[in-house]
Amino acid sequence: GASRIAAVLLVDLQGSGVRLPGALFAMTDDGRIAGSVSGGCIEPQLIEEAQALLAEAEPRLRLVRYDQSGGKLFSPLQPCSDVVELAVFLLDPAAYTEAVRAVEQERAVRFCVGLDGPHAGRQWVEDVSAVSEVPTGQIPLPESEAARASIFDRDDGRCFGYVITPAPQLVIVGASHLGQELAVAAMRVGFRVSVVDSRPRFLTEERFPAVAERLVTTPRKAFDALNVGAETAVCAISHDDKLDDDAITLALERGCYYVGALGSRLTHAERCERLQEQGVAPERLEEIRSPIGIAIGATTPAEIALSIAAEVSGAYRVLVPKRR
């Protein structure tokens, strides 16, 4: 028969933590593990919790609390936070599959688990539009990562909910070797990556197999098709002045929170002169990140991609919540 999976869900924490509520650790009945709810400090103990759950004929959700706020530990293992509250339950494959499908369809949903009462352990997925006052057609994005998780009351007991929204969008303009490495690095940290280039020989399925979209067209047509806006990051790395200039101008017009451009300080100064002549305001030019990426002494395409992905991710975490 199919393998059963014990899930350990981080429901609440007090004090700082490596993971936020909504984090998941899981173990199959044949001992395979995935995910985490801490930096690794309590997972060894959670394996025992998962094993105990899987050993039950009819596994029921149990709430586990690790508390070191008064210096007295509930567990021999010390959690990163003062208090960590966890729910241990048998994962419902149908509900989990529905949540995964929603992500693939770019729908915003809330994954819910009953914490107590007659429905403790029951899992379900509901459209976020049904539980939030958001205009139809808009994706209701949480104000922060911490705001994704909530504990709410129903007639039959407390429930935990976690809002899952479509991945943030990164548009890479330039299907170079660096573009290949950047696509991989950005997808690893959770971005939905699309690549734009007017040169079909560069932008092939073989070179960019896993990206969301490959658009062999102009930046304007691509940005329209991708609905590029304030919550999109744009990296202009083609090293083709016309292609990069068009992408940068459009990204600034559309208020993208991150606009990065490949090039040295000299080439960027020349680029700014060109863009100013084309009517871009000087204060808007200051928004461009160039040289692109954080300074880590990168030399190889993979290292440069790492530095760019870090800068894009940092901008998304810091700047986007301030705009909401």
Side-chain angles (χ1 to χ4, degrees), residues 18 20 33 69-70 73 78 86 105 122 139 141 152 195-196 204 227 244 246-247 256 263 272 287 295 299:
V18 176
L20 293 173
I33 62 171
S69 56
L73 292 182
Q78 183 170 319
L86 306 151
Q105 295 169 348
R122 187 171 80 84
I139 295 170
L141 295 164
F152 58 98
V195 186
V196 179
T204 62
N227 197 26
D244 286 346
D246 286 353
C256 295
C272 288
E287 296 173 27
T299 56

Side-chain angles (χ1 to χ4, degrees), residues 105-188:
Q105 295 169 348
E106 295 183 48
R107 289 188 293 120
V109 293
R110 183 163 72 168
F111 183 81
C112 301
V113 181
L115 296 180
D116 49 35
H119 296 293
R122 187 171 80 84
Q123 297 141 65
W124 70 97
V125 174
E126 55 195 20
D127 258 326
V128 167
S129 56
V131 293
S132 65
E133 298 173 9
V134 177
T136 306
Q138 288 188 21
I139 295 170
L141 295 164
E143 292 178 8
S144 67
E145 286 304 300
R148 290 179 182 274
S150 62
I151 294 174
F152 58 98
D153 290 311
R154 295 203 332 178
D155 293 342
D156 48 10
R158 291 183 312 147
C159 305
F160 176 85
Y162 184 78
V163 175
I164 304 168
T165 53
Q169 177 169 242
L170 167 64
V171 178
I172 300 171
V173 179
S176 60
H177 182 191
L178 172 57
Q180 289 177 283
E181 295 287 358
L182 178 55
V184 172
M187 286 188 290
R188 286 288 296 162

Side-chain angles (χ1 to χ4, degrees), residues 169 227-233 251 254-258 316 319-320 323:
Q169 177 169 242
N227 197 26
V228 167
E231 296 213 356
T232 306
R254 291 173 180 237
C256 295
Y257 73 91
Y258 179 94
Y316 179 72
L319 300 178
V320 171
R323 295 179 169 207

